[in-house]
PDB file of all heavy atoms in Angstrom:
ATOM      1  N   LEU A  13      -1.328  19.345  -3.015  1.00 98.00           N
ATOM      2  CA  LEU A  13      -1.862  18.223  -3.786  1.00 98.00           C
ATOM      3  C   LEU A  13      -1.527  16.943  -3.066  1.00 98.00           C
ATOM      4  O   LEU A  13      -0.354  16.569  -2.823  1.00 98.00           O
ATOM      5  CB  LEU A  13      -1.267  18.186  -5.180  1.00 98.00           C
ATOM      6  CG  LEU A  13      -1.679  16.987  -6.048  1.00 98.00           C
ATOM      7  CD1 LEU A  13      -3.185  17.055  -6.344  1.00 98.00           C
ATOM      8  CD2 LEU A  13      -0.892  16.948  -7.358  1.00 98.00           C
ATOM      9  N   MET A  14      -2.578  16.181  -2.689  1.00 98.00           N
ATOM     10  CA  MET A  14      -2.414  14.904  -2.028  1.00 98.00           C
ATOM     11  C   MET A  14      -2.598  13.777  -3.050  1.00 98.00           C
ATOM     12  O   MET A  14      -3.553  13.783  -3.836  1.00 98.00           O
ATOM     13  CB  MET A  14      -3.428  14.738  -0.890  1.00 98.00           C
ATOM     14  CG  MET A  14      -3.212  13.413  -0.124  1.00 98.00           C
ATOM     15  SD  MET A  14      -4.533  13.082   1.091  1.00 98.00           S
ATOM     16  CE  MET A  14      -4.469  14.565   2.117  1.00 98.00           C
ATOM     17  N   ASN A  15      -1.656  12.831  -3.042  1.00 98.00           N
ATOM     18  CA  ASN A  15      -1.729  11.651  -3.859  1.00 98.00           C
ATOM     19  C   ASN A  15      -1.913  10.404  -2.990  1.00 98.00           C
ATOM     20  O   ASN A  15      -1.201  10.277  -1.983  1.00 98.00           O
ATOM     21  CB  ASN A  15      -0.484  11.495  -4.746  1.00 98.00           C
ATOM     22  CG  ASN A  15      -0.303  12.642  -5.742  1.00 98.00           C
ATOM     23  OD1 ASN A  15      -1.262  12.936  -6.424  1.00 98.00           O
ATOM     24  ND2 ASN A  15       0.868  13.228  -5.789  1.00 98.00           N
ATOM     25  N   VAL A  16      -2.808   9.512  -3.362  1.00 98.00           N
ATOM     26  CA  VAL A  16      -3.064   8.278  -2.520  1.00 98.00           C
ATOM     27  C   VAL A  16      -3.019   7.088  -3.457  1.00 98.00           C
ATOM     28  O   VAL A  16      -3.699   7.029  -4.469  1.00 98.00           O
ATOM     29  CB  VAL A  16      -4.416   8.375  -1.832  1.00 98.00           C
ATOM     30  CG1 VAL A  16      -4.678   7.118  -1.000  1.00 98.00           C
ATOM     31  CG2 VAL A  16      -4.503   9.617  -0.969  1.00 98.00           C
ATOM     32  N   TRP A  17      -2.193   6.080  -3.060  1.00 97.00           N
ATOM     33  CA  TRP A  17      -2.150   4.808  -3.735  1.00 97.00           C
ATOM     34  C   TRP A  17      -2.823   3.789  -2.826  1.00 97.00           C
ATOM     35  O   TRP A  17      -2.479   3.658  -1.647  1.00 97.00           O
ATOM     36  CB  TRP A  17      -0.697   4.387  -3.989  1.00 97.00           C
ATOM     37  CG  TRP A  17      -0.026   5.201  -5.072  1.00 97.00           C
ATOM     38  CD1 TRP A  17       0.081   4.899  -6.403  1.00 97.00           C
ATOM     39  CD2 TRP A  17       0.655   6.431  -4.918  1.00 97.00           C
ATOM     40  NE1 TRP A  17       0.762   5.863  -7.069  1.00 97.00           N
ATOM     41  CE2 TRP A  17       1.134   6.821  -6.183  1.00 97.00           C
ATOM     42  CE3 TRP A  17       0.906   7.319  -3.818  1.00 97.00           C
ATOM     43  CZ2 TRP A  17       1.859   8.002  -6.394  1.00 97.00           C
ATOM     44  CZ3 TRP A  17       1.614   8.470  -4.039  1.00 97.00           C
ATOM     45  CH2 TRP A  17       2.084   8.808  -5.325  1.00 97.00           C
ATOM     46  N   VAL A  18      -3.740   3.017  -3.396  1.00 95.00           N
ATOM     47  CA  VAL A  18      -4.568   2.094  -2.621  1.00 95.00           C
ATOM     48  C   VAL A  18      -4.050   0.655  -2.832  1.00 95.00           C
ATOM     49  O   VAL A  18      -3.822   0.209  -3.936  1.00 95.00           O
ATOM     50  CB  VAL A  18      -6.061   2.196  -3.071  1.00 95.00           C
ATOM     51  CG1 VAL A  18      -6.921   1.286  -2.244  1.00 95.00           C
ATOM     52  CG2 VAL A  18      -6.539   3.677  -2.950  1.00 95.00           C
ATOM     53  N   TYR A  19      -3.899  -0.059  -1.714  1.00 96.00           N
ATOM     54  CA  TYR A  19      -3.426  -1.460  -1.741  1.00 96.00           C
ATOM     55  C   TYR A  19      -4.310  -2.332  -0.854  1.00 96.00           C
ATOM     56  O   TYR A  19      -3.878  -2.785   0.185  1.00 96.00           O
ATOM     57  CB  TYR A  19      -1.963  -1.559  -1.277  1.00 96.00           C
ATOM     58  CG  TYR A  19      -0.969  -0.737  -2.076  1.00 96.00           C
ATOM     59  CD1 TYR A  19      -0.662   0.553  -1.711  1.00 96.00           C
ATOM     60  CD2 TYR A  19      -0.356  -1.312  -3.182  1.00 96.00           C
ATOM     61  CE1 TYR A  19       0.246   1.304  -2.465  1.00 96.00           C
ATOM     62  CE2 TYR A  19       0.563  -0.557  -3.918  1.00 96.00           C
ATOM     63  CZ  TYR A  19       0.858   0.734  -3.538  1.00 96.00           C
ATOM     64  OH  TYR A  19       1.780   1.472  -4.274  1.00 96.00           O
ATOM     65  N   ASN A  20      -5.546  -2.503  -1.235  1.00 97.00           N
ATOM     66  CA  ASN A  20      -6.458  -3.342  -0.454  1.00 97.00           C
ATOM     67  C   ASN A  20      -6.428  -4.736  -0.975  1.00 97.00           C
ATOM     68  O   ASN A  20      -6.308  -5.011  -2.178  1.00 97.00           O
ATOM     69  CB  ASN A  20      -7.882  -2.783  -0.595  1.00 97.00           C
ATOM     70  CG  ASN A  20      -8.077  -1.446   0.154  1.00 97.00           C
ATOM     71  OD1 ASN A  20      -7.092  -0.770   0.498  1.00 97.00           O
ATOM     72  ND2 ASN A  20      -9.303  -1.030   0.312  1.00 97.00           N
ATOM     73  N   ARG A  21      -6.587  -5.735  -0.068  1.00 97.00           N
ATOM     74  CA  ARG A  21      -6.513  -7.147  -0.425  1.00 97.00           C
ATOM     75  C   ARG A  21      -7.389  -7.998   0.494  1.00 97.00           C
ATOM     76  O   ARG A  21      -7.753  -7.517   1.618  1.00 97.00           O
ATOM     77  CB  ARG A  21      -5.061  -7.629  -0.399  1.00 97.00           C
ATOM     78  CG  ARG A  21      -4.390  -7.502   0.967  1.00 97.00           C
ATOM     79  CD  ARG A  21      -2.974  -8.010   0.950  1.00 97.00           C
ATOM     80  NE  ARG A  21      -2.247  -7.711   2.175  1.00 97.00           N
ATOM     81  CZ  ARG A  21      -2.284  -8.417   3.264  1.00 97.00           C
ATOM     82  NH1 ARG A  21      -3.019  -9.540   3.353  1.00 97.00           N
ATOM     83  NH2 ARG A  21      -1.597  -8.083   4.361  1.00 97.00           N
ATOM     84  N   PRO A  22      -7.719  -9.222   0.135  1.00 96.00           N
ATOM     85  CA  PRO A  22      -8.491 -10.079   1.023  1.00 96.00           C
ATOM     86  C   PRO A  22      -7.737 -10.527   2.251  1.00 96.00           C
ATOM     87  O   PRO A  22      -6.483 -10.489   2.273  1.00 96.00           O
ATOM     88  CB  PRO A  22      -8.818 -11.296   0.125  1.00 96.00           C
ATOM     89  CG  PRO A  22      -8.573 -10.846  -1.268  1.00 96.00           C
ATOM     90  CD  PRO A  22      -7.464  -9.823  -1.178  1.00 96.00           C
ATOM     91  N   GLU A  23      -8.442 -10.896   3.274  1.00 97.00           N
ATOM     92  CA  GLU A  23      -7.829 -11.403   4.499  1.00 97.00           C
ATOM     93  C   GLU A  23      -7.132 -12.749   4.165  1.00 97.00           C
ATOM     94  O   GLU A  23      -7.714 -13.660   3.574  1.00 97.00           O
ATOM     95  CB  GLU A  23      -8.906 -11.636   5.577  1.00 97.00           C
ATOM     96  CG  GLU A  23      -8.427 -12.407   6.806  1.00 97.00           C
ATOM     97  CD  GLU A  23      -7.348 -11.618   7.531  1.00 97.00           C
ATOM     98  OE1 GLU A  23      -7.570 -10.463   7.870  1.00 97.00           O
ATOM     99  OE2 GLU A  23      -6.266 -12.209   7.739  1.00 97.00           O
ATOM    100  N   ASP A  24      -5.838 -12.853   4.527  1.00 96.00           N
ATOM    101  CA  ASP A  24      -5.097 -14.085   4.311  1.00 96.00           C
ATOM    102  C   ASP A  24      -4.299 -14.522   5.508  1.00 96.00           C
ATOM    103  O   ASP A  24      -3.384 -15.348   5.414  1.00 96.00           O
ATOM    104  CB  ASP A  24      -4.170 -13.923   3.077  1.00 96.00           C
ATOM    105  CG  ASP A  24      -3.123 -12.821   3.311  1.00 96.00           C
ATOM    106  OD1 ASP A  24      -3.090 -12.227   4.401  1.00 96.00           O
ATOM    107  OD2 ASP A  24      -2.304 -12.567   2.386  1.00 96.00           O
ATOM    108  N   GLY A  25      -4.606 -13.940   6.679  1.00 97.00           N
ATOM    109  CA  GLY A  25      -3.921 -14.332   7.875  1.00 97.00           C
ATOM    110  C   GLY A  25      -2.656 -13.498   8.169  1.00 97.00           C
ATOM    111  O   GLY A  25      -2.025 -13.747   9.194  1.00 97.00           O
ATOM    112  N   THR A  26      -2.278 -12.591   7.300  1.00 97.00           N
ATOM    113  CA  THR A  26      -1.106 -11.768   7.563  1.00 97.00           C
ATOM    114  C   THR A  26      -1.508 -10.331   7.938  1.00 97.00           C
ATOM    115  O   THR A  26      -2.613  -9.877   7.591  1.00 97.00           O
ATOM    116  CB  THR A  26      -0.235 -11.687   6.287  1.00 97.00           C
ATOM    117  OG1 THR A  26      -0.945 -11.033   5.229  1.00 97.00           O
ATOM    118  CG2 THR A  26       0.217 -13.084   5.883  1.00 97.00           C
ATOM    119  N   ARG A  27      -0.642  -9.675   8.651  1.00 97.00           N
ATOM    120  CA  ARG A  27      -0.927  -8.312   9.060  1.00 97.00           C
ATOM    121  C   ARG A  27      -0.831  -7.336   7.932  1.00 97.00           C
ATOM    122  O   ARG A  27      -0.110  -7.568   6.954  1.00 97.00           O
ATOM    123  CB  ARG A  27       0.064  -7.895  10.176  1.00 97.00           C
ATOM    124  CG  ARG A  27      -0.057  -8.742  11.455  1.00 97.00           C
ATOM    125  CD  ARG A  27       0.942  -8.305  12.473  1.00 97.00           C
ATOM    126  NE  ARG A  27       0.692  -6.920  12.915  1.00 97.00           N
ATOM    127  CZ  ARG A  27       1.380  -6.301  13.863  1.00 97.00           C
ATOM    128  NH1 ARG A  27       2.385  -6.924  14.517  1.00 97.00           N
ATOM    129  NH2 ARG A  27       1.076  -5.067  14.203  1.00 97.00           N
ATOM    130  N   ALA A  28      -1.533  -6.258   8.044  1.00 97.00           N
ATOM    131  CA  ALA A  28      -1.456  -5.195   7.028  1.00 97.00           C
ATOM    132  C   ALA A  28      -0.053  -4.632   7.032  1.00 97.00           C
ATOM    133  O   ALA A  28       0.528  -4.337   8.098  1.00 97.00           O
ATOM    134  CB  ALA A  28      -2.457  -4.084   7.326  1.00 97.00           C
ATOM    135  N   ARG A  29       0.535  -4.464   5.875  1.00 97.00           N
ATOM    136  CA  ARG A  29       1.863  -3.914   5.773  1.00 97.00           C
ATOM    137  C   ARG A  29       1.843  -2.404   5.992  1.00 97.00           C
ATOM    138  O   ARG A  29       0.923  -1.712   5.654  1.00 97.00           O
ATOM    139  CB  ARG A  29       2.437  -4.215   4.383  1.00 97.00           C
ATOM    140  CG  ARG A  29       2.792  -5.679   4.189  1.00 97.00           C
ATOM    141  CD  ARG A  29       3.412  -5.926   2.822  1.00 97.00           C
ATOM    142  NE  ARG A  29       2.388  -5.718   1.770  1.00 97.00           N
ATOM    143  CZ  ARG A  29       2.699  -5.706   0.467  1.00 97.00           C
ATOM    144  NH1 ARG A  29       3.946  -5.871   0.058  1.00 97.00           N
ATOM    145  NH2 ARG A  29       1.739  -5.564  -0.444  1.00 97.00           N
ATOM    146  N   ARG A  30       2.917  -1.925   6.554  1.00 97.00           N
ATOM    147  CA  ARG A  30       3.050  -0.485   6.846  1.00 97.00           C
ATOM    148  C   ARG A  30       3.506   0.214   5.571  1.00 97.00           C
ATOM    149  O   ARG A  30       4.067  -0.372   4.667  1.00 97.00           O
ATOM    150  CB  ARG A  30       4.086  -0.266   7.959  1.00 97.00           C
ATOM    151  CG  ARG A  30       3.659  -0.816   9.313  1.00 97.00           C
ATOM    152  CD  ARG A  30       4.778  -0.729  10.321  1.00 97.00           C
ATOM    153  NE  ARG A  30       5.901  -1.601   9.957  1.00 97.00           N
ATOM    154  CZ  ARG A  30       6.987  -1.720  10.693  1.00 97.00           C
ATOM    155  NH1 ARG A  30       7.151  -1.024  11.794  1.00 97.00           N
ATOM    156  NH2 ARG A  30       7.920  -2.530  10.297  1.00 97.00           N
ATOM    157  N   PRO A  31       3.219   1.525   5.504  1.00 95.00           N
ATOM    158  CA  PRO A  31       3.620   2.260   4.281  1.00 95.00           C
ATOM    159  C   PRO A  31       5.107   2.120   3.905  1.00 95.00           C
ATOM    160  O   PRO A  31       5.419   1.955   2.734  1.00 95.00           O
ATOM    161  CB  PRO A  31       3.250   3.727   4.637  1.00 95.00           C
ATOM    162  CG  PRO A  31       2.135   3.612   5.585  1.00 95.00           C
ATOM    163  CD  PRO A  31       2.441   2.387   6.414  1.00 95.00           C
ATOM    164  N   LYS A  32       5.947   2.090   4.911  1.00 95.00           N
ATOM    165  CA  LYS A  32       7.382   2.049   4.631  1.00 95.00           C
ATOM    166  C   LYS A  32       7.826   0.668   4.058  1.00 95.00           C
ATOM    167  O   LYS A  32       8.858   0.527   3.480  1.00 95.00           O
ATOM    168  CB  LYS A  32       8.202   2.347   5.885  1.00 95.00           C
ATOM    169  CG  LYS A  32       8.097   1.303   6.967  1.00 95.00           C
ATOM    170  CD  LYS A  32       9.004   1.650   8.121  1.00 95.00           C
ATOM    171  CE  LYS A  32       9.060   0.569   9.217  1.00 95.00           C
ATOM    172  NZ  LYS A  32       9.972   0.868  10.271  1.00 95.00           N
ATOM    173  N   ASP A  33       6.955  -0.357   4.237  1.00 95.00           N
ATOM    174  CA  ASP A  33       7.258  -1.666   3.704  1.00 95.00           C
ATOM    175  C   ASP A  33       6.756  -1.921   2.281  1.00 95.00           C
ATOM    176  O   ASP A  33       6.971  -2.976   1.716  1.00 95.00           O
ATOM    177  CB  ASP A  33       6.628  -2.731   4.651  1.00 95.00           C
ATOM    178  CG  ASP A  33       7.254  -2.698   6.039  1.00 95.00           C
ATOM    179  OD1 ASP A  33       8.413  -2.364   6.160  1.00 95.00           O
ATOM    180  OD2 ASP A  33       6.484  -2.980   7.002  1.00 95.00           O
ATOM    181  N   LEU A  34       6.058  -0.938   1.745  1.00 95.00           N
ATOM    182  CA  LEU A  34       5.550  -1.056   0.394  1.00 95.00           C
ATOM    183  C   LEU A  34       6.571  -0.564  -0.626  1.00 95.00           C
ATOM    184  O   LEU A  34       7.332   0.386  -0.357  1.00 95.00           O
ATOM    185  CB  LEU A  34       4.276  -0.227   0.243  1.00 95.00           C
ATOM    186  CG  LEU A  34       3.082  -0.669   1.112  1.00 95.00           C
ATOM    187  CD1 LEU A  34       1.924   0.300   0.991  1.00 95.00           C
ATOM    188  CD2 LEU A  34       2.633  -2.069   0.749  1.00 95.00           C
ATOM    189  N   ALA A  35       6.537  -1.176  -1.748  1.00 92.00           N
ATOM    190  CA  ALA A  35       7.473  -0.764  -2.834  1.00 92.00           C
ATOM    191  C   ALA A  35       7.023   0.591  -3.406  1.00 92.00           C
ATOM    192  O   ALA A  35       5.867   0.999  -3.272  1.00 92.00           O
ATOM    193  CB  ALA A  35       7.483  -1.835  -3.946  1.00 92.00           C
ATOM    194  N   GLU A  36       7.941   1.266  -4.040  1.00 89.00           N
ATOM    195  CA  GLU A  36       7.625   2.502  -4.710  1.00 89.00           C
ATOM    196  C   GLU A  36       6.528   2.290  -5.733  1.00 89.00           C
ATOM    197  O   GLU A  36       6.628   1.307  -6.512  1.00 89.00           O
ATOM    198  CB  GLU A  36       8.843   3.106  -5.371  1.00 89.00           C
ATOM    199  CG  GLU A  36       9.870   3.700  -4.420  1.00 89.00           C
ATOM    200  CD  GLU A  36       9.395   4.923  -3.719  1.00 89.00           C
ATOM    201  OE1 GLU A  36       8.654   5.725  -4.345  1.00 89.00           O
ATOM    202  OE2 GLU A  36       9.678   5.071  -2.521  1.00 89.00           O
ATOM    203  N   PRO A  37       5.505   3.125  -5.770  1.00 92.00           N
ATOM    204  CA  PRO A  37       4.429   2.870  -6.731  1.00 92.00           C
ATOM    205  C   PRO A  37       4.902   2.984  -8.167  1.00 92.00           C
ATOM    206  O   PRO A  37       5.634   3.932  -8.517  1.00 92.00           O
ATOM    207  CB  PRO A  37       3.406   4.005  -6.398  1.00 92.00           C
ATOM    208  CG  PRO A  37       4.204   5.024  -5.695  1.00 92.00           C
ATOM    209  CD  PRO A  37       5.307   4.321  -4.957  1.00 92.00           C
ATOM    210  N   GLY A  38       4.503   2.022  -8.960  1.00 89.00           N
ATOM    211  CA  GLY A  38       4.863   2.029 -10.350  1.00 89.00           C
ATOM    212  C   GLY A  38       3.713   2.483 -11.252  1.00 89.00           C
ATOM    213  O   GLY A  38       3.709   2.191 -12.485  1.00 89.00           O
ATOM    214  N   ARG A  39       2.766   3.187 -10.649  1.00 93.00           N
ATOM    215  CA  ARG A  39       1.585   3.641 -11.425  1.00 93.00           C
ATOM    216  C   ARG A  39       1.130   4.995 -10.841  1.00 93.00           C
ATOM    217  O   ARG A  39       1.554   5.360  -9.735  1.00 93.00           O
ATOM    218  CB  ARG A  39       0.484   2.596 -11.293  1.00 93.00           C
ATOM    219  CG  ARG A  39       0.075   2.268  -9.852  1.00 93.00           C
ATOM    220  CD  ARG A  39      -0.993   1.237  -9.802  1.00 93.00           C
ATOM    221  NE  ARG A  39      -1.261   0.728  -8.450  1.00 93.00           N
ATOM    222  CZ  ARG A  39      -2.044   1.336  -7.559  1.00 93.00           C
ATOM    223  NH1 ARG A  39      -2.605   2.463  -7.887  1.00 93.00           N
ATOM    224  NH2 ARG A  39      -2.255   0.789  -6.372  1.00 93.00           N
ATOM    225  N   PRO A  40       0.331   5.732 -11.576  1.00 95.00           N
ATOM    226  CA  PRO A  40      -0.179   6.990 -11.034  1.00 95.00           C
ATOM    227  C   PRO A  40      -1.042   6.757  -9.786  1.00 95.00           C
ATOM    228  O   PRO A  40      -1.577   5.646  -9.589  1.00 95.00           O
ATOM    229  CB  PRO A  40      -1.041   7.560 -12.187  1.00 95.00           C
ATOM    230  CG  PRO A  40      -0.504   6.854 -13.401  1.00 95.00           C
ATOM    231  CD  PRO A  40      -0.119   5.474 -12.940  1.00 95.00           C
ATOM    232  N   PRO A  41      -1.223   7.767  -8.967  1.00 97.00           N
ATOM    233  CA  PRO A  41      -2.073   7.620  -7.786  1.00 97.00           C
ATOM    234  C   PRO A  41      -3.528   7.377  -8.195  1.00 97.00           C
ATOM    235  O   PRO A  41      -4.005   7.864  -9.208  1.00 97.00           O
ATOM    236  CB  PRO A  41      -1.934   8.977  -7.061  1.00 97.00           C
ATOM    237  CG  PRO A  41      -1.522   9.927  -8.156  1.00 97.00           C
ATOM    238  CD  PRO A  41      -0.673   9.145  -9.081  1.00 97.00           C
TER     239      PRO A  41
END
């Protein structure tokens, strides 16, 4: 079973964060 959490956002001049830099998901996948 694969679970995927999506974190898409508008371009704001910053680099895309790596998975390890994201907080633990507080919601279902």
Side-chain angles (χ1 to χ4, degrees):
L13 176 65
M14 184 189 302
N15 295 312
V16 180
W17 289 265
V18 182
Y19 300 92
N20 292 13
R21 59 180 171 84
E23 171 62 55
D24 62 2
T26 63
R27 297 180 62 176
R29 289 182 291 173
R30 295 172 294 180
K32 69 177 185 177
D33 297 328
L34 297 174
E36 288 292 323
R39 56 182 172 83

